[in-house]
Amino acid sequence: MRIILAGFGTVGQALAQVLHQDADRITQAYGFRPQITTIVDSQGSCSDDAGLDISLVLKTKKEYGTVARYPRKGRRNNDSAHIITNSEAEVVVETTPTNFKDAEPGLSNIKAALANGKHVVTANKGPLALAMPALLELANHRNRQLRFSGTVGGGTPFLDFAAKCMPGERIIRVRGILNGTTNYILTRMETASLTFEKALAEAQRKGYAEKDPTNDVEGFDTAAKIVIIANWVLKKRYSLRDLDITGITKITPQKLKQAKASNAKVKLIGRIEESSASVAPEQIPMADPTCVPDTLNALTFTTEHAGDITLIGPGAGGERTASAIVRDLVSIRQEYAT
Ligand code: HSE
């Protein structure tokens, strides 16, 4: 399986590392060898039909900040959609940064890949948050797979659990914590009585929050994940603009104290109900299984016959997201002999 990797930041580099490390095991267990043949970053690209030397590409990125300096086969061409269109690789892995304004360059990369008969695995939420129904239709029309396990829950398989483990069961409602950064901030505001600003600065120092943490603290990251779950699991044609979204910027240590007095904690909760979806801070009883601390994610699926089922796990991080991408690559291979 030849792979084009579009985006070579934390997740892209972690994926290269994991594939390099696990190549023999994957070949033995699943009968195919995933090989990265092209990488595009924001300043250039490198390509080798025989498979890139991953140690060398990681070293080049570290030393020069771009794969354009990869010996002999690197160039200053970063026109990812054009590179995808003209490549013979079977799969595009899209890990460019999430952007909820126009979803570019991820949206064009995914469209170019599907239009050219390539399967897509994306860890980038932007294109799905803004255009998921259209992209699923395009993939279906082209008889290609569009997979996105790493967009929700990092390595914790929330999407696969709901879509694959419960055939015949009806999921009525979904609610929970889907953003590690805000959960960390709220936890620190409560346990160490920090202000929102101080807790945010700490989350940034620890590398949880982005330099621009707007998407996390204003609730857009959680909302994008809710859109993805709603479309995929509950077959609703939602996009970001269909949701009511409130972030955590107005939460004070006092509000957290009030919650504590009634044995509850304030959490940023994403919800999908029968005919609406939303993101807002809510008081959650401490005894509720979704009331998890620190950077954990937790999601409760309310089902018609099996009751409430909650999945808890780490929801972010390069290596964890890479693990979800590998799952998607394996399942593409299992469905199509690429
Ligand atoms: N910023 C996200 C979080 C990363 O904090 O959960 C994973 O989508």
Side-chain angles (χ1 to χ4, degrees), residues 41-45 64-69 74-79:
D41 67 19
S42 57
Q43 297 174 61
S45 56
Y64 302 106
T66 173
V67 298
R69 298 285 296 270
R75 41 194 57 82
R76 287 277 165 198
N77 175 9
N78 68 350
D79 184 349

Side-chain angles (χ1 to χ4, degrees), residues 88-140:
E88 286 183 5
E90 291 85 14
V91 180
V92 171
V93 175
E94 170 38 58
T95 65
T96 61
T98 292
N99 138 23
F100 294 127
K101 291 201 176 74
D102 61 7
E104 294 298 356
L107 185 57
S108 295
N109 288 343
I110 295 175
K111 283 186 184 164
L114 294 172
N116 282 278
K118 300 181 197 324
H119 304 288
V120 174
V121 178
T122 180
N124 177 354
K125 293 170 281 257
L128 300 180
L130 299 191
M132 189 156 177
L135 291 175
L136 286 173
E137 258 167 45
L138 179 60
N140 195 26

